Amino acid sequence: MTGPEPETKMQFLFALRSRGVTDKRVLQAMEEIDRGMFVRGIFANRSYDDMPLPIACGQTISQPSVVGLMTQALHLSPRDKVLEVGTGSGYQAAILSRLVRRVYTVDRHARLVREASQAFSALGLSNITAMTADGSFGLPEQAPFDRIIVTAAAEDPPGPLLAQLKINGIMVVPVGQSDAVQTLIRVLRTETGYDYEEIRPVRFVPLLEGLGKDG
């Protein structure tokens, strides 16, 4: 299994840094995880471009710099237990797996979970649990979580997910009323409530309830 050429990888990391991904641990994880493992078919040759790409089930694999910025915004530590809502290609979960103790990732599309799980196995990432579920309800049986990352946009941070954050836990989620205008926000759960901080404008697919119709 071959990764990208050294020059391609250098350009990839330079693009990440130039767009604000500066956390050394995050950059190292993104250097180690081959994005090409998560991009299939006709877009495979675009794996190292800093752009979102289509994947199965009408979803996308996020732009690498956005993956990096969201990961960085979580302020991860090696002991953290993280919930990801929206497995998609599995790329974000793979990055997280290099930085934390345990990753739980859920997606409403069984096909995406299957394909992501195959990539995790091929890369030897044994600390990820991927499952098909309605992510808008989180994963109560594994709560509370140190960190939660949502890779689909909601009108507001979903209540069930907020409730599954530990005190001093952080959630990063895109929010917005429309496809065109969304803001990535960081939510810190405190002893008395939640603090919200805007990070940057983004564009994500909407967070939908229920399971996908695919097999």
Side-chain angles (χ1 to χ4, degrees):
M1 198 181 311
T2 58
E5 296 293 325
E7 188 181 341
T8 304
K9 185 169 272 191
M10 220 163 65
Q11 290 169 343
F12 177 71
L13 293 169
F14 177 77
L16 294 175
R17 281 193 288 265
S18 66
R19 289 170 175 84
V21 184
T22 54
D23 184 297
K24 285 189 174 65
R25 290 181 68 233
V26 174
L27 286 166
Q28 185 178 350
M30 296 188 76
E31 184 176 4
E32 290 169 356
I33 296 293
D34 179 5
R35 190 174 184 242
M37 293 288 293
F38 299 90
V39 182
R40 293 175 170 79
I42 58 171
F43 295 102
N45 65 338
R46 311 299 297 274
S47 297
Y48 297 94
D49 294 353
D50 192 37
M51 61 189 297
L53 295 168
I55 58 171
C57 306
Q59 305 299 297
T60 55
I61 179 171
S62 295
Q63 193 172 337
S65 58
V66 172
V67 170
L69 289 167
M70 289 180 78
T71 306
Q72 188 169 273
L74 286 168
H75 296 250
L76 297 167
S77 78
R79 299 300 303 158
D80 284 343
K81 180 171 78 169
V82 181
L83 171 65
E84 178 193 33
V85 175
T87 309
S89 69
Y91 179 60
Q92 174 74 73
I95 300 296
L96 293 169
S97 77
R98 302 308 299 257
L99 298 166
V100 301
R101 177 172 58 90
R102 188 90 216 152
V103 179
Y104 291 88
T105 181
V106 298
D107 202 290
R108 58 195 294 272
H109 295 286
R111 176 182 170 183
L112 295 181
V113 171
R114 267 199 314 275
E115 292 181 357
S117 296
Q118 289 163 4
F120 302 150
S121 294
L123 289 166
L125 304 175
S126 58
N127 63 337
I128 304 175
T129 302
M131 57 192 83
T132 307
D134 182 346
S136 56
F137 294 106
L139 206 57
E141 62 271 26
Q142 295 296 341
F145 295 95
D146 300 292
R147 303 289 187 265
I148 297 176
I149 182 169
V150 186
T151 60
E155 285 192 16
D156 297 293
L161 299 184
L162 290 172
Q164 289 171 37
L165 262 186
K166 283 184 180 172
I167 303 295
N168 298 319
I170 293 171
M171 177 161 73
V172 171
V173 55
V175 295
Q177 303 285 339
S178 73
D179 284 353
V181 186
Q182 298 165 5
T183 304
L184 190 63
I185 66 167
R186 175 168 42 215
V187 185
L188 171 67
R189 184 169 192 179
T190 67
E191 297 280 357
T192 53
Y194 301 93
D195 291 341
Y196 297 85
E197 177 192 350
E198 293 190 2
I199 299 173
R200 55 163 280 167
V202 287
R203 192 166 183 181
F204 278 85
V205 295
L207 180 65
L208 301 174
E209 290 191 5
L211 296 182
K213 300 289 190 284
D214 57 296

